[in-house]
Amino acid sequence: MSGHAAPISMTSRPAGPLRGVADVPGDKSVSHRALILGALCVGETHITGLLEGEDVLATAAAMRAFGAEVERLGEGEWRVHGVGVGGFQEPEDVIDCGNAGTGARLIMGAMATSPITATFTGDASLRSRPMARVTEPLALFGARAYGRAGGRLPMTIVGASAPVPVRYALPVASAQVKSAVLLAGLNAPGETVVIERVATRDHTERMLAGFGAEIRVEETEEGRVITLTGQPELKPQRIAVPRDPSSAAFPVCAALIVPGSDVLVPGIGLNPTRAGLFATLRDMGADLAYENEREEGGEPVADLRARYSPDMQGIEVPPERAASMIDEYPILSVVAANATGETVMRGVGELRVKESDRIDAMARGLRANGVEVEEGEDWWAVTGAGPGSVAGGGLAEARLDHRIAMSFLVLGMAAQAPVRIDDGAPVATSFPVFEPLMAGLGAQIVRANR
Ligand code: S3P
């Protein structure tokens, strides 16, 4: 999986109205966690709506390597027969997490308090990403990490044989780091405490509670204080994975900028720690409605309806919203390029250490398509000249980053001339049905080397 698939150049042509129902796949964050927690309890966890993208399939393979039985029953339907907290066996080979930072970091946490050794690797993108943010707190439990310079993969983790619980204040707003510490805390005796100054996605906390762990969350002056009691006996669950708001963002944003569009995206997870993009779009003047709001599997869910919105204005995105929309800034910048005025995005330095440096990747590709972008270390600003103003006609590099690839394909749908990306293959990590789904709505994406 860490090898290179052949690049697939894609071109997105200006499209007619986008209309219809967009059934987006299951949530990537929830899917990883369902497999990992399923593997950490004795008995059978049944999952429906699992995202069958490359990232999650890599996590499924990893759970098998650590001794769990993981079986696909049908489309999105999976069964995990877990080994229990502390029951992971030592994998016989290297764990290849592909493109998935979430998979790599969460699995490192999950194995770090067992007396086993595992070596992790991934594709060129994942091998360039910082892992010290995870291995530093894991060292407090007693685990040791041996990686490349700068804490990069490939990396070997030697799990703690006598783990101690940890109290850890997150230095960066990262749900992956928080989750790695909590998963490590599962096999440490006593209470592990994680403190986060800003709330990041809380799927791990919700799911741990669902599996029967003793976990409490207090809002204090220090921030959110999460206390987990170690060595619980987790009880197997039935998990219905909600559809991914980060994937829904693409058809929603495309509908907002392509004239005449009206798209319904049903059953989207709207956990408040994930819904920042939709609040921001509404602040810009988007015609975006939540219909049929309900709760499914412990997560709030609604149908999203997005209609063409020619009157959107640029705004200053509240920086305190960053964690709740961190993966959505690339597609927001595409909407901003089609709005009127400047959209300023501050407090987003984390974008530089995602699957790619997302500020740099978007800034270059937007400029190549005639859009004005300014940037600093932890901020960027996009100036839009209103509907239909993006020239297009340029080439953008996807840099092994699914969200960059999909963002530029959406840009092309509303530009004056087609937008080309050098490689659409990474889309399969999180949204394997992106091309047929968008084509079904009326988009025109063609694979250039066909
Ligand atoms: C994720 C957390 C975020 C996000 C990533 C998924 C998760 O990363 O960007 O796509 O599932 O926990 P950070 O934890 O690095 O902020």
Side-chain angles (χ1 to χ4, degrees):
M1 220 168 295
S2 57
H4 287 278
I8 305 170
S9 171
M10 292 184 187
T11 300
S12 177
R13 301 214 178 99
L18 303 176
R19 288 175 177 269
V21 177
D23 283 323
V24 307
D27 191 283
K28 180 153 74 73
S29 293
V30 175
S31 295
H32 283 296
R33 287 157 172 82
L35 290 170
I36 295 169
L37 283 179
L40 285 173
C41 68
V42 177
E44 196 172 292
T45 286
H46 186 260
I47 308 168
T48 51
L50 189 87
L51 166 65
E52 293 175 334
E54 289 170 0
D55 276 17
V56 174
L57 297 179
T59 290
M63 292 303 98
R64 284 193 195 105
F66 282 101
E69 273 172 42
V70 183
E71 194 190 346
R72 183 178 192 266
L73 302 175
E75 201 187 317
E77 190 182 351
W78 289 63
R79 179 163 62 199
V80 183
H81 205 98
V83 292
V85 168
F88 271 0
Q89 71 186 35
E90 186 165 279
E92 285 176 13
D93 203 348
V94 172
I95 301 296
D96 188 343
C97 294
N99 188 254
T102 307
R105 291 176 174 141
L106 268 57
I107 298 167
M108 284 178 179
M111 59 74 57
T113 45
S114 290
I116 55 174
T117 295
T119 300
F120 294 84
T121 193
D123 71 3
S125 157
L126 187 57
R127 280 185 271 114
S128 74
R129 298 181 67 184
M131 293 294 151
R133 53 178 54 201
V134 177
T135 55
E136 276 164 16
L138 296 183
L140 303 176
F141 287 97
R144 281 170 292 146
Y146 304 92
R148 289 193 304 129
R152 306 291 204 265
L153 301 185
M155 176 176 276
T156 296
I157 308 277
V158 181
S161 46
V164 290
V166 152
R167 184 180 175 86
Y168 191 69
L170 294 179
V172 282
S174 166
Q176 293 176 356
V177 178
K178 170 176 68 176
S179 302
V181 176
L182 289 172
L183 292 172
L186 274 178
N187 199 36
E191 290 190 337
T192 285
V193 180
V194 187
I195 303 146
E196 56 179 4
R197 215 160 27 82
V198 266
T200 63
R201 65 193 68 194
D202 63 355
H203 308 299
T204 303
E205 296 93 302
R206 286 175 189 247
M207 210 182 277
L208 278 168
F211 272 88
E214 206 178 297
I215 182 165
R216 41 175 217 280
V217 181
E218 292 147 295
E219 306 287 344
T220 72
E221 278 183 2
E222 277 179 293
R224 271 179 97 237
V225 179
I226 306 151
T227 305
L228 172 73
T229 304
Q231 299 180 328
E233 197 168 309
L234 300 181
K235 293 180 216 63
Q237 295 301 298
R238 293 187 81 80
I239 299 173
V241 178
R243 295 172 193 255
D244 199 326
S246 298
S247 296
F250 296 100
V252 162
C253 289
L256 298 178
I257 62 175
V258 174
S261 299
D262 186 345
V263 169
L264 185 72
V265 197
I268 299 306
L270 286 174
N271 180 317
T273 61
R274 296 287 299 281
L277 171 74
F278 305 121
T280 300
L281 293 171
R282 281 172 156 179
D283 289 350
M284 294 172 80
D287 183 351
L288 178 63
Y290 289 2
E291 297 176 354
N292 194 12
E293 289 182 52
R294 57 205 185 268
E295 183 148 318
E296 279 175 15
E299 297 271 352
V301 162
D303 306 334
L304 297 186
R305 180 151 190 199
R307 295 187 185 90
Y308 176 53
S309 301
D311 299 322
M312 290 188 288
Q313 303 291 316
I315 60 163
E316 174 100 28
V317 182
E320 61 277 9
R321 217 178 256 170
S324 68
M325 53 180 289
I326 195 66
D327 292 333
E328 282 67 74
Y329 284 93
I331 189 61
L332 175 66
S333 71
V334 170
V335 174
N338 287 276
T340 304
E342 191 182 37
T343 293
V344 187
M345 299 163 276
R346 295 189 200 281
V348 292
E350 277 293 296
L351 292 181
R352 296 206 180 268
V353 289
K354 295 293 177 188
E355 285 83 331
S356 67
D357 174 341
R358 286 181 169 164
I359 297 178
D360 187 63
M362 287 308 300
R364 281 173 196 252
L366 285 169
R367 287 185 192 124
N369 284 285
V371 180
E372 193 185 322
V373 186
E374 280 181 90
E375 64 179 289
E377 195 40 43
D378 71 344
W379 67 274
W380 53 316
V382 174
T383 301
S389 64
V390 174
L395 170 69
E397 281 178 25
R399 302 198 190 166
L400 290 180
D401 189 329
H402 52 132
R403 301 206 196 281
I404 301 300
M406 289 186 279
S407 295
F408 283 115
L409 292 173
V410 171
L411 185 76
M413 295 170 201
Q416 292 158 15
V419 170
R420 189 157 72 86
I421 58 170
D422 63 341
D423 185 13
V427 170
T429 61
S430 70
F431 203 156
V433 296
F434 179 77
E435 288 170 87
L437 181 144
M438 293 308 302
L441 298 175
Q444 292 188 37
I445 300 171
V446 290
R447 294 189 173 204
N449 33 6
R450 268 214 187 140

